[in-house]
Amino acid sequence: MSDDVVSVIPTDPHWQPDAAAAERAWAVLAGLIEEDDGAELEVTWHRRTAAVDCGENLERIGCPHCGGSIEPGWWGDLLEEHAEDGFATLAVTVPCCGAATTLDALAYDRPCGFARFELEVWNPECLRFTEAQLAAVAAALGHPVRQIRAHL
């Protein structure tokens, strides 16, 4: 069986809220999905920056320097290599043109992100939050947020 996950993460991949802000954001998000009996909400604090990818939704990764496509195998190997411990740095050298960049600067065709704090909604009926809903979560968290929709 497959799962859909909508992750709400801070726009700064290295930022983490304090516990009170995290609880406020969780409460806002829980209120948004309270009518959705099948959805489950999880909060994850990552020790190091973790990839928040879109799973099977990923169609292409583009290089911000040359515009070329980055092989999915390169991306998959990176995720696997850092699955347990996360990323100490997002700096990489892209295989297409050898340019130095960061993982969060790559052009993902279906959003992917990186975070040290993540609010995950598993199997929600609604697969996307509105801008107003995201603004409410951001206000509670005290930091701008974005969403990543994954199909696993």
Side-chain angles (χ1 to χ4, degrees):
M1 184 172 138
S2 61
D3 290 301
D4 288 301
V5 183
V6 178
S7 294
V8 177
I9 60 173
T11 56
D12 177 345
H14 307 290
W15 187 84
Q16 282 188 325
D18 61 27
E23 287 179 27
R24 287 191 307 270
W26 183 91
V28 168
L29 203 53
L32 295 174
I33 65 166
E34 69 184 342
E35 300 296 320
D36 188 346
D37 291 334
E40 295 179 30
L41 180 58
E42 292 182 16
V43 178
T44 305
W45 298 81
H46 299 285
R47 187 177 63 79
R48 291 167 78 183
T49 306
V52 182
D53 74 301
C54 63
E56 294 175 16
N57 291 332
L58 185 62
E59 294 182 12
R60 179 182 184 275
I61 303 172
C63 175
H65 293 281
C66 72
S69 289
I70 295 175
E71 290 295 320
W74 179 82
W75 169 248
D77 290 347
L78 272 176
L79 292 185
E80 188 174 316
E81 182 181 331
H82 296 279
E84 292 295 320
D85 296 327
F87 292 87
T89 178
L90 297 179
V92 293
T93 300
V94 288
C96 51
C97 63
T101 189
T102 59
L103 291 170
D104 57 332
L106 299 178
Y108 299 97
D109 188 351
R110 296 301 184 263
C112 292
F114 297 87
R116 292 191 58 220
F117 176 77
E118 182 178 4
L119 294 161
E120 300 167 289
V121 183
W122 285 78
N123 298 309
E125 289 177 10
C126 174
L127 295 177
R128 185 163 307 280
F129 293 108
T130 67
E131 289 301 317
Q133 291 170 324
L134 289 174
V137 175
L141 195 60
H143 193 281
V145 297
R146 59 189 291 241
Q147 64 186 327
I148 309 295
R149 181 179 151 227
H151 183 73
L152 311 172

